[in-house]
Amino acid sequence: MTFRARHLLGIEPLSPPEITSILDLADSYVDLNRRTIKHSDALSGMTQINMFFENSTRTQSSFELAGKRLGADVMNMSMQTSSVKKGETLIDTALTLNAMRPDLLVVRHPSSGAVNLLAEKVNCAVLNAGDGRHEHPTQALLDALTIRRAKDRLHRLTVAICGDIAHSRVARSNLILLGKMENRIRLVGPATLMPAGAAEFGCEIYEDMREGLKDADVVMMLRLQKERMDGGFIPSEREYYHRWGLDADKLAHAKPDAIVMHPGPMNRGVEIDGTIADDINRSVIQDQVEMGVAVRMAAMDLLARNLRAERGRALAEGTYV
Ligand code: NCD
């Protein structure tokens, strides 16, 4: 295994072999998850704390199941009722939890960079479950695994990432990962939802959906992130759907075997037509959810191995605290 890091904070620091080793291990967890008995003891005896400062359905339940299937003791902090509401800072909350000696902390936070900051203050492994508009590494890894299994490769594919790119950590982590693996990436959407400097990532930018989808192997739709908008980004939802919503007519411009992805939660009839989202011949949206559990198991398993090795070294040197 080539993955040696202490934390999983983003895709940015990962090398292509590290990405591949996480995905390879995740493949074996897909098999385990399809069995009736889904237990492994990779995290046996370890404590995992999930801290979600933002709402989540898929990511939180997926991290919880992943930890439980690997045998960890999993605790979900309810941030709505925690002392954060009394004004405690993120760092104080983290230091308090750190004193309880968790081994893995899974953190989602609305501010970009908050999870990196927290990782500097604790002794355990930290996994970023999404920070602001910055990164969402396990989402990009689960998307990569979904693509690799559907297309039998993860290179030289044309991937169209469509919609609200500017507010999306999913888009950011995906374009970093897919770029590292040498794919051709197109960003498609209204100019108001394109991040500044998008072209510097080496992607092609399209405002017209039909042109942007032409001959694409993968069509990745994104949610309109209204909670991150302060007005004026789109004309109206109706107009947005007309121009950038994925429907059969627009999808017909992609390759006949193109797959359709969406990280969820979906706004049916805003960024995607419900019939396409449910079409099992095109949509891999449910596969993405399945791959999510396996990828999170793989990531936590690898971090736990590194943590054990690090503690073993510190014990041998007499520096373990
Ligand atoms: C995404 C997120 O939270 O960044 N969802 C997810 O993790 N599945 C995308 C979104 O909220 O639109």
Side-chain angles (χ1 to χ4, degrees):
M1 285 294 167
T2 50
F3 183 71
R4 291 262 166 269
R6 156 69 93 84
H7 307 294
L8 180 61
L9 300 175
I11 298 297
E12 190 93 67
L14 300 183
S15 64
E18 283 180 308
I19 293 169
T20 303
S21 60
I22 299 173
L23 300 185
D24 290 347
L25 182 61
D27 263 328
S28 72
Y29 281 122
V30 175
D31 296 338
L32 179 71
N33 289 337
R34 289 182 180 180
R35 294 194 206 134
T36 311
I37 310 289
K38 300 171 178 60
H39 282 146
S40 129
D41 57 6
L43 299 186
S44 172
M46 291 193 156
T47 303
Q48 172 190 337
I49 302 182
N50 297 335
M51 291 166 78
F52 280 66
F53 294 88
E54 247 184 27
N55 295 345
S56 171
T57 306
R58 273 152 283 268
T59 309
Q60 180 162 358
S61 53
S62 172
F63 266 113
E64 182 175 353
L65 268 185
K68 287 181 169 162
R69 287 183 183 169
L70 296 178
D73 294 314
V74 186
M75 183 176 88
N76 288 308
M77 286 286 296
S78 164
M79 302 322 292
Q80 272 74 23
T81 55
S82 77
S83 286
V84 170
K85 290 278 174 234
K86 298 183 185 168
E88 185 171 73
T89 66
L90 169 69
I91 300 303
D92 281 334
T93 307
L95 289 177
T96 303
L97 291 173
N98 187 54
M100 297 180 194
R101 296 198 166 256
D103 302 286
L104 297 141
L105 265 186
V106 179
V107 188
R108 168 170 285 191
H109 198 279
S111 308
S112 306
V115 185
N116 292 55
L117 188 70
L118 187 145
E120 290 170 12
K121 311 281 177 193
V122 297
N123 303 319
C124 58
V126 176
L127 291 103
N128 181 1
D131 63 324
R133 305 175 188 188
H134 179 224
E135 281 240 36
H136 191 352
T138 55
Q139 179 70 43
L141 289 162
L142 76 87
D143 289 339
L145 185 63
T146 308
I147 296 171
R148 196 173 80 164
R149 291 171 69 101
K151 295 281 158 205
D152 284 325
R153 66 178 202 273
L154 190 57
H155 60 275
R156 289 155 129 280
L157 293 165
T158 300
V159 183
I161 306 181
C162 311
D164 184 359
I165 320 269
H167 299 103
S168 178
R169 54 195 175 209
V170 174
R172 203 164 172 282
S173 290
N174 260 302
L175 69 90
I176 300 173
L177 189 154
L178 294 167
K180 282 180 194 272
M181 304 313 272
E182 297 184 8
N183 295 284
R184 183 170 172 192
I185 304 159
R186 298 179 182 166
L187 302 181
V188 190
T192 47
L193 295 178
M194 275 304 151
E200 286 158 31
F201 278 100
C203 1
E204 299 162 29
I205 316 267
Y206 292 87
E207 193 156 4
D208 184 276
M209 271 289 263
R210 290 172 181 81
E211 283 172 26
L213 295 197
K214 191 167 181 320
D215 297 328
D217 298 288
V218 177
V219 180
M220 187 181 289
M221 300 307 298
L222 298 169
R223 182 174 66 90
L224 259 191
Q225 309 211 4
K226 281 174 264 174
E227 75 277 20
R228 298 193 208 284
M229 297 181 192
D230 39 23
F233 284 92
I234 57 160
S236 70
E237 284 187 0
R238 217 180 119 99
E239 166 92 11
Y240 183 84
Y241 180 68
H242 177 68
R243 295 189 60 187
W244 293 285
L246 185 67
D247 56 17
D249 173 56
K250 297 188 192 91
L251 183 58
H253 291 77
K255 287 213 180 121
D257 63 350
I259 54 168
V260 174
M261 307 180 76
H262 193 304
M266 268 185 285
N267 296 306
R268 290 170 183 258
V270 179
E271 69 259 355
I272 190 165
D273 171 21
T275 327
I276 290 183
D278 298 334
D279 180 353
I280 53 163
N281 295 315
R282 306 307 296 267
S283 163
V284 292
I285 295 172
Q286 300 307 325
D287 302 82
Q288 289 173 268
V289 178
E290 181 183 4
M291 297 310 126
V293 181
V295 151
R296 288 167 181 130
M297 289 169 84
M300 291 199 291
D301 177 350
L302 292 172
L303 289 177
R305 294 183 203 188
N306 295 346
L307 203 60
R308 277 193 213 97
E310 190 186 312
R311 287 174 180 169
R313 279 194 299 274
L315 269 175
E317 292 162 7
T319 54
Y320 187 73
V321 280

